[in-house]
Amino acid sequence: EDSDFSVGSDARSVSGWGRMNEYLITYKEPGDETSQWYSEIDITDGYVSFPTYALNDEFGCVAPRTVHPAQNGLLALSDKGVVWTWPSLVKGQANCKIISHNINGKNGRAKGILDNPLSDLKNAHAEMHLNKYLLFIKDKTWVLDLDYSDLANNLYCWYPYTGIYSKVGSFHLKEGDLYLTDSTAGLLYKQRPEGDNTPWDDDGEAIDAWWTTPLMFLGGRNYIKKFERISTTFRVSYGTEHILSLISDLGVEDIPLRQEAGIFDARYFNAQFFNAGVYNRDYPTTQSEKIGYKGEYLQFKIRNNMYNRGMTLLACSVTFSLRKIVK
């Protein structure tokens, strides 16, 4: 008589809601029965009701605060990883898939999302900011960068945040600004705006950051190459040092990189880094390092673990020559 509709069995709780096109999607805890439902508005003889229908029985949601819209669908954290649900061409049907395989873990090499117990997954929370899905689980924030991801075509750009982001009690958005609460110290942080000359604040502990290339055969899979030089271009960062690790058939070599240009800021002046060549303007710095390796492939890693120093790699290039065919 109240035009209410049961959403599955009472044995499992509702665990999230989200809007997808003209539907309200209701998530339930994973189980043996339907875990996603959809509701629509029905007006018959002047009476309004919201009939609810089964949608998907494979992926539920374990954390209500992780449901957010993305690329014409919905993201949510399930017990199998982050699931993306998007509409199909058939009314009342949807497509669902896991998009976090690369960071789910359980492989013995690197800790991922599913290496956390279910109790921590249920306490996870997320926010959308600057077209990034920020997912906090236990002691790490995982970032899905939607500017570089194409969820429909299986392209997912994930990376982890530590530092302040490793202890986020909750995210808050206000007037386009992102605020983070510290779950241990009770502090409130505001993310610095894009273009800030000093956007790095490690909050008492240096953040270990790195970027690694794939194995690069450089268009000659069956050739031995001579790798002669690598050039890297960084965003200006005064007094910053990076570590370039060259990886090839021959092993690994670490090369320290000192950024040779920067902007002068009296607030961060340090005599240890001062030299007469400091320019009072912002421009990228390109540095070149000799390699001198021969091999079938090359891979390199750029790392920075300095306190309150950033690392933004703008471009890189490798100079090489083909030598002989691999026998």
Side-chain angles (χ1 to χ4, degrees):
E1 63 193 48
D2 295 326
S3 296
D4 65 322
F5 293 84
S6 297
V7 183
S9 168
D10 290 339
R12 291 181 295 116
S13 300
V14 170
S15 56
W17 284 280
R19 178 180 175 180
M20 188 172 69
N21 293 344
E22 71 272 24
Y23 298 136
L24 171 68
I25 304 300
T26 301
Y27 292 89
K28 297 201 70 174
E29 293 178 332
D32 297 330
E33 57 184 274
T34 302
S35 297
Q36 290 185 38
W37 301 73
Y38 76 96
S39 303
E40 60 181 2
I41 299 175
D42 179 72
I43 303 176
T44 304
D45 297 328
Y47 293 95
V48 178
S49 62
F50 302 89
T52 301
Y53 309 97
L55 185 67
N56 179 272
D57 59 3
E58 185 175 4
F59 302 113
C61 175
V62 296
R65 293 186 293 167
T66 63
V67 181
H68 285 278
Q71 297 187 0
N72 198 36
L74 284 174
L75 296 171
L77 178 63
S78 76
D79 59 339
K80 300 179 178 67
V82 179
V83 61
W84 183 54
T85 301
W86 74 102
S88 73
L89 297 176
V90 180
K91 182 179 180 180
Q93 295 187 16
N95 304 293
C96 303
K97 63 181 177 181
I98 297 295
I99 64 167
S100 58
H101 291 294
N102 291 341
I103 61 166
N104 274 349
K106 287 190 174 294
N107 54 19
R109 297 191 300 272
K111 183 179 178 182
I113 288 177
L114 298 184
D115 291 306
N116 295 292
L118 183 60
S119 59
D120 288 328
L121 296 181
K122 289 184 175 181
N123 289 323
H125 54 89
E127 187 55 84
M128 295 289 296
H129 183 58
L130 298 177
N131 207 28
K132 295 177 176 59
Y133 179 67
L134 309 174
L135 173 64
F136 175 79
I137 304 176
K138 189 179 180 179
D139 58 359
K140 185 177 294 183
T141 293
W142 299 93
V143 183
L144 174 63
D145 194 332
L146 294 166
D147 284 333
Y148 298 94
S149 300
D150 185 348
L151 305 185
N153 291 304
N154 303 318
L155 181 62
Y156 320 121
C157 178
W158 286 98
Y159 53 87
Y161 271 169
T162 55
I164 294 172
Y165 289 87
S166 67
K167 48 190 176 183
V168 179
S170 60
F171 294 107
H172 303 275
L173 275 180
K174 182 179 180 181
E175 299 177 353
D177 292 324
L178 178 67
Y179 296 84
L180 306 87
T181 59
D182 189 321
S183 59
T184 58
L187 299 175
L188 182 68
Y189 299 93
K190 177 184 176 182
Q191 189 177 66
R192 294 188 177 181
E194 290 281 331
D196 193 311
N197 289 331
T198 56
W200 316 289
D201 185 350
D202 292 350
D203 196 35
E205 182 179 353
I207 297 174
D208 192 13
W210 69 89
W211 178 76
T212 306
T213 71
L215 290 179
M216 298 185 295
F217 293 96
L218 302 171
R221 177 65 177 85
N222 298 320
Y223 276 82
I224 296 294
K225 300 100 181 166
K226 182 180 180 182
F227 302 107
E228 299 166 358
R229 185 173 294 276
I230 179 171
S231 298
T232 51
T233 303
F234 296 95
R235 177 183 174 182
V236 59
S237 180
Y238 177 64
T240 297
E241 296 180 1
H242 308 301
I243 299 174
L244 170 66
S245 298
L246 299 175
I247 307 165
S248 74
D249 320 42
L250 304 178
V252 180
E253 179 185 359
D254 291 339
I255 300 174
L257 299 179
R258 171 84 180 269
Q259 289 199 218
E260 299 168 350
I263 38 178
F264 181 77
D265 191 325
R267 294 174 300 171
Y268 298 92
F269 178 79
N270 188 323
Q272 178 183 353
F273 298 118
F274 180 78
N275 67 74
V278 174
Y279 281 78
N280 193 26
R281 59 191 177 95
D282 186 355
Y283 69 97
T285 169
T286 300
Q287 296 174 222
S288 181
E289 294 290 337
K290 291 183 178 180
I291 302 179
Y293 285 161
K294 290 183 180 179
E296 190 178 357
Y297 68 84
L298 177 70
Q299 184 179 32
F300 63 89
K301 175 179 179 180
I302 296 177
R303 178 182 178 187
N304 173 288
N305 59 359
M306 292 184 68
Y307 181 65
N308 277 0
R309 290 293 186 269
M311 185 185 78
T312 302
L313 179 64
L314 300 177
C316 60
S317 63
V318 176
T319 303
F320 70 98
S321 57
L322 299 179
R323 289 309 171 99
K324 60 181 181 181
I325 297 179
V326 176
K327 296 182 179 179

